[in-house]
Amino acid sequence: MEHEFYRGLAQRVRDVAERVDPFTKLRLLRLAERYAVKGIRPEPAPTTERPPPIPRPHLHVVLAPEEG
């Protein structure tokens, strides 16, 4: 169902592209192509890289002779 919506939207954008200047026509046709394939193949999920974990050194507590 979603694919049908975007196909119809792509056709409307192509119809408008026929009545505009060449620069705008090119941009509209590219937009129509993106709409035409939307819903057919899933868009890749954005990848977010996690930063590496912060190294936490093992701390050794050394007590002075008078403290321990």
Side-chain angles (χ1 to χ4, degrees):
M1 177 147 180
E2 180 181 355
H3 175 62
E4 295 299 321
F5 170 77
Y6 283 111
R7 266 190 15 183
L9 190 58
Q11 185 57 50
R12 282 181 268 164
V13 170
R14 284 188 196 101
D15 292 342
V16 171
E18 294 302 317
R19 296 175 284 184
V20 295
D21 62 278
F23 176 75
T24 306
K25 180 177 182 175
L26 180 63
R27 292 182 57 124
L28 286 174
L29 291 176
R30 286 181 186 160
L31 177 64
E33 184 60 32
R34 287 179 33 207
Y35 283 151
V37 297
K38 194 167 186 145
I40 294 176
R41 62 176 186 241
E43 294 183 14
T47 57
T48 56
E49 289 189 29
R50 294 178 60 167
I54 299 172
R56 297 181 185 231
H58 297 286
L59 300 177
H60 298 284
V61 178
V62 178
L63 300 177
E66 58 272 352
E67 292 179 6

